[in-house]
Amino acid sequence: METNKNTDQDHQQKAKTKRVRTTFTEEQLQVLQANFNLDSNPDGQDLERIAQITGLSKRVTQVCHFDALDDWSHVLPRLWNAVLLVLTSQLATQHESGSVTIP
């Protein structure tokens, strides 16, 4: 019975613990974004360099890049579908008018 009591106490302590959130300055965000635009999959040395420039830990820079890449993986398919929709519409209009031109 004592083991259940200890397990309940452990669970309550873990439930009360909140993760520390990182807040970024505008300059840090600019550096992170610029580096992501250059290389969306940086190696360890690049992450270390970015960490030194921003004053953030290497782990934080790694998570930022992973999150940004994850965001893009959700945005790109929708963006591509929108581009295809516009192109299809333009081709249909050109076809109806009899003047199909392919750039």
Side-chain angles (χ1 to χ4, degrees):
M1 195 66 164
E2 186 67 30
T3 341
N4 288 341
K5 192 176 188 181
N6 287 341
T7 305
D8 288 341
Q9 287 174 349
D10 289 341
H11 179 69
Q12 287 174 351
Q13 286 177 342
K14 288 179 183 177
K16 291 179 185 178
T17 313
K18 288 189 177 185
R19 292 187 306 166
V20 175
R21 300 280 182 180
T22 303
T23 54
F24 300 98
T25 65
E26 186 64 33
E27 293 80 19
Q28 288 171 326
L29 289 173
Q30 288 173 356
V31 170
L32 289 167
Q33 183 64 49
N35 279 279
F36 181 79
N37 290 341
L38 291 173
D39 183 5
S40 62
N41 190 21
D43 62 16
Q45 287 179 336
D46 288 334
L47 290 171
E48 191 64 46
R49 179 183 53 77
I50 297 166
Q52 288 176 357
I53 293 169
T54 59
L56 300 168
S57 72
K58 181 179 172 182
R59 177 70 180 143
V60 169
T61 61
Q62 183 180 28
V63 169
C64 287
H65 273 79
F66 177 79
D67 288 349
L69 191 58
D70 187 49
D71 289 346
W72 272 109
S73 71
H74 296 289
V75 170
L76 285 178
R78 286 180 274 172
L79 182 61
W80 181 244
N81 286 337
V83 167
L84 288 177
L85 184 63
V86 168
L87 290 175
T88 303
S89 174
Q90 287 177 347
L91 285 175
T93 303
Q94 288 178 357
H95 180 69
E96 289 171 5
S97 69
S99 62
V100 176
T101 56
I102 300 175

